[in-house]
Amino acid sequence: MEALTGTTTDQAPANPAATDDMLATQPVGYWCGLTHATVTRHLRDAMAKIDVTQPQYWVLNRVTGGPTAPSREEVITQLTHLADGPHEIARVVDQLLHREWLRMDDRQRLHLTAAGEAARARLRELATEVRAVVHQGISDEEYVAALKVLRKMVANVEGVGDS
């Protein structure tokens, strides 16, 4: 692989105790993975306290989030890439139908019930509370800058094989 523009910083092993002056040498994959695991665990722990899972929240949002009511298959197809396994979203749809947070119409389209909408609204409040904890001491500008950097890294890697 030929060098890209700019200077190249040596890649050091992941170090959770790295000082600020060492951060440029730290592997982004390690820090993104640690962030993902920590934030996801915190959110899922908060949701567990009210007997709900993150995938249930995804399904509730997806069912209410489009211009037309989705089918079971559409929800499964659209959310499976986020899930822990290929069958998780199908199970979640079944759980939410059983809880009567979802209902299926005559055309096999999914809709939120009143109880499902109440749960979705409560989960949005909870997610906002969790976000406030995660973002404590981080300005919107810093957050946007961090995401722009990550988005650029993804674009850099996805473009590696291109000529």
Side-chain angles (χ1 to χ4, degrees):
M1 213 189 249
E2 73 181 59
L4 302 176
T5 60
T7 59
T8 302
T9 301
D10 285 341
Q11 179 72 63
N15 179 359
T19 58
D20 286 358
D21 63 322
M22 297 167 52
L23 288 178
T25 69
Q26 288 293 288
V28 70
Y30 169 79
W31 288 99
C32 287
L34 181 61
T35 302
H36 173 75
T38 304
V39 170
T40 300
R41 182 178 56 249
H42 182 71
L43 177 62
R44 289 181 176 188
D45 288 350
M47 288 180 169
K49 291 176 183 172
I50 60 171
D51 193 28
V52 180
T53 67
Q54 186 182 29
Q56 288 172 339
Y57 183 43
W58 298 335
V59 170
L60 293 171
N61 279 326
R62 174 55 196 98
V63 169
T64 195
T68 59
S71 70
R72 173 190 179 87
E73 292 72 28
E74 288 168 340
V75 170
I76 292 167
T77 298
Q78 292 168 1
L79 297 177
T80 293
H81 74 282
L82 299 172
D84 291 336
H87 307 291
E88 183 176 23
I89 300 302
R91 290 181 188 123
V92 166
V93 170
D94 290 341
Q95 291 167 346
L96 296 176
L97 287 165
H98 177 76
R99 274 192 184 188
E100 297 182 354
W101 287 5
L102 291 181
R103 69 174 179 79
M104 198 173 294
D105 68 20
D106 293 340
R107 295 181 12 249
Q108 301 299 298
R109 298 286 175 174
L110 296 169
H111 302 271
L112 291 184
T113 63
E117 175 54 31
R120 190 200 61 77
R122 173 63 188 112
L123 285 163
R124 183 168 179 155
E125 289 173 15
L126 180 63
T128 299
E129 292 166 11
V130 168
R131 184 183 193 280
V133 170
V134 172
H135 287 241
Q136 189 173 356
I138 301 167
S139 71
D140 284 349
E141 293 77 20
E142 290 171 312
Y143 182 71
V144 167
L147 293 186
K148 282 182 170 182
V149 167
L150 293 172
R151 187 166 59 187
K152 178 62 177 162
M153 289 178 173
V154 169
N156 288 345
V157 171
E158 287 178 343
V160 165
D162 298 342
S163 41

